[in-house]
Amino acid sequence: MFTHVMIGSNDLERARDFYDATFAALGGEPGEIDARGRLIYAHKGGRLMITKPIDGHPATAANGGTIGIAAASRDHVLAWHKAGTTHGGTAIESPPSERPNGAFVGYLRDPDGNKLTARSQPTK
């Protein structure tokens, strides 16, 4: 359904440090800067793109928005969460935990305030 998710950042190097670490914890590759200066992550057909806003105004986090990231296992969610908090992210909501449907879920805000979740597949 989606081709990509694009979010804004006020500091692409800080964003790169955070996302390189969190995606490495999930088995992903480091991001690359394209010819337009956007930081791009591609993994299993999905793309996350991070850019400075083209209108010249500061980037802000989406109010009510959450970006969901697939994780292969509970251990991947825990590694993602630890990498995120070590690289400038903020733990939010509850500690990573199992949901009633068996999915294991963790939440973070990236250094620019974007809300992220990593979750394993439900077991029920």
Side-chain angles (χ1 to χ4, degrees):
M1 176 181 255
F2 302 107
T3 61
H4 66 279
V5 173
M6 175 84 76
I7 59 175
S9 176
N10 294 306
D11 184 338
L12 288 178
E13 285 307 313
R14 181 182 67 181
R16 180 181 233 169
D17 182 54
F18 175 84
Y19 283 101
D20 278 2
T22 57
F23 286 143
L26 297 175
E29 298 293 323
E32 295 184 11
I33 302 286
D34 73 1
R36 296 173 70 185
R38 300 174 300 189
L39 179 57
I40 299 176
Y41 293 88
H43 185 71
K44 296 186 178 182
R47 288 170 39 111
L48 174 67
M49 302 169 68
I50 305 166
T51 188
K52 290 191 174 198
I54 61 173
D55 66 4
H57 295 288
T60 59
N63 185 18
T66 303
I67 299 168
I69 300 167
S73 69
R74 175 186 193 279
D75 289 341
H76 280 104
V77 172
L78 292 170
W80 172 86
H81 197 268
K82 182 177 181 178
T85 57
T86 302
H87 290 87
T90 305
I92 58 170
E93 299 192 13
S94 61
S97 61
E98 186 171 326
R99 297 299 165 97
N101 69 355
F104 196 80
V105 180
Y107 287 93
L108 292 171
R109 288 208 183 265
D110 75 4
D112 286 290
N114 295 294
K115 184 178 177 183
L116 311 169
T117 181
R119 59 184 54 227
S120 66
Q121 291 295 316
T123 57
K124 298 176 184 173

